[in-house]
Amino acid sequence: MGQAPTDPLVSLKQSGLRVWNYYWHFRHELKMSEDELREVGIEGDDLFIRPELIEPLKQADRAFRKQGYELIVKDAYRSPELYELAYRKRHARWGKKATDRLYNMKDKPHTSGLVVDVNLVDPKTGEQVRMRDPKHDDDGAQTIGYYKDKDDPTSREYQRLQDLLIETMLAVGFKLGVKREFWHFEWPASGQRVVQ
Ligand SMILES: [Zn+2]
């Protein structure tokens, strides 16, 4: 079992939010067995988080629904052991450079239970909304601003969706991470929160 933060964690699924556990769904591609996942704290398609994040996530979800989308959480609390496992597997599959670009092994921000990776869902189809093209665009498309100066309709739509995601998450109190991924949001620890 992973080492849990001192405060209790709650299930996102039981809190009524949409969940899509990245590691669970990609376990075959990442070559992670169900036993390996269980050892680092993942038992199926759910995610866990510190309870104070539930209300801001629901608030963001309500804002997205007004725009015709729904929030889906793809990653939340990660045990330090899950970080190690995921880093090792990604390193083996995609190499050091691609892994280091995304994996903040120094801070391991997801171990706080105060961090989420999110996306939007189109409720009419149930499909996750595409905000980048990983097949055709380079790894830079994982970071904020990649499509900003591109003028084709697809790039403009990706930029619009990323702007909607980021503006809404920041409006409910999240901040961006040091890796500047457009899907990764951190809830400031109580001592750091800026009162507006
Ligand atoms: Zn993240």
Side-chain angles (χ1 to χ4, degrees):
M1 256 320 272
Q3 173 198 327
T6 42
D7 290 330
L9 299 170
V10 292
S11 154
L12 277 164
K13 200 173 245 178
Q14 281 176 28
S15 307
L17 286 150
R18 274 189 191 256
V19 171
W20 193 90
N21 184 309
Y22 172 86
Y23 298 100
W24 184 254
H25 287 279
F26 272 129
R27 63 191 187 279
H28 301 300
E29 194 174 15
L30 291 163
K31 299 196 188 322
M32 292 176 173
S33 70
E34 291 183 17
D35 280 346
E36 281 176 312
L37 282 171
R38 203 170 297 119
E39 279 167 22
V40 298
I42 293 179
E43 310 233 354
D45 192 17
D46 197 0
L47 288 164
F48 295 86
I49 198 87
R50 290 264 294 271
E52 61 262 46
L53 272 74
I54 296 295
E55 201 36 57
L57 287 171
K58 286 188 171 177
Q59 205 182 329
D61 186 41
R62 286 193 292 271
F64 291 130
R65 282 166 192 256
K66 287 184 188 148
Q67 304 287 328
Y69 301 101
E70 290 179 19
L71 180 75
I72 190 162
V73 185
K74 301 176 73 165
D75 203 354
Y77 169 69
R78 273 182 221 159
S79 65
E81 294 82 0
L82 171 56
Y83 261 98
E84 300 293 338
L85 176 70
Y87 185 84
R88 207 169 67 236
K89 298 282 182 173
R90 293 187 79 100
H91 189 288
R93 192 174 163 92
W94 287 292
K96 182 172 165 52
K97 195 163 164 242
T99 307
D100 285 347
R101 178 192 285 274
L102 284 184
Y103 263 63
N104 182 348
M105 292 299 286
K106 187 164 90 44
D107 302 329
K108 299 188 176 77
H110 283 267
T111 58
S112 67
L114 292 167
V115 174
V116 285
D117 293 340
V118 298
N119 197 7
L120 298 178
V121 166
D122 179 345
K124 293 189 288 292
T125 62
E127 297 287 317
Q128 291 191 40
V129 174
R130 182 183 272 255
M131 298 191 194
R132 67 177 169 118
D133 186 349
K135 284 209 173 67
H136 296 103
D137 296 328
D138 61 60
D139 287 347
Q142 294 162 343
T143 47
I144 293 164
Y146 182 85
Y147 296 100
K148 188 164 55 72
D149 300 320
K150 295 186 168 47
D151 222 15
D152 59 289
T154 306
S155 294
R156 283 211 301 271
E157 177 63 358
Y158 288 162
Q159 188 60 45
R160 183 189 76 82
L161 290 162
Q162 291 187 18
D163 285 345
L164 172 67
L165 187 71
I166 293 165
E167 283 165 15
T168 305
M169 293 298 283
L170 297 192
V172 303
F174 286 91
K175 60 187 183 66
L176 298 164
V178 294
K179 297 279 184 181
R180 311 278 304 162
E181 301 147 314
F182 64 82
W183 62 79
H184 171 105
F185 298 94
E186 307 188 353
W187 189 249
S190 50
Q192 304 173 330
R193 196 158 309 142
V194 180
V195 180
Q196 293 176 335

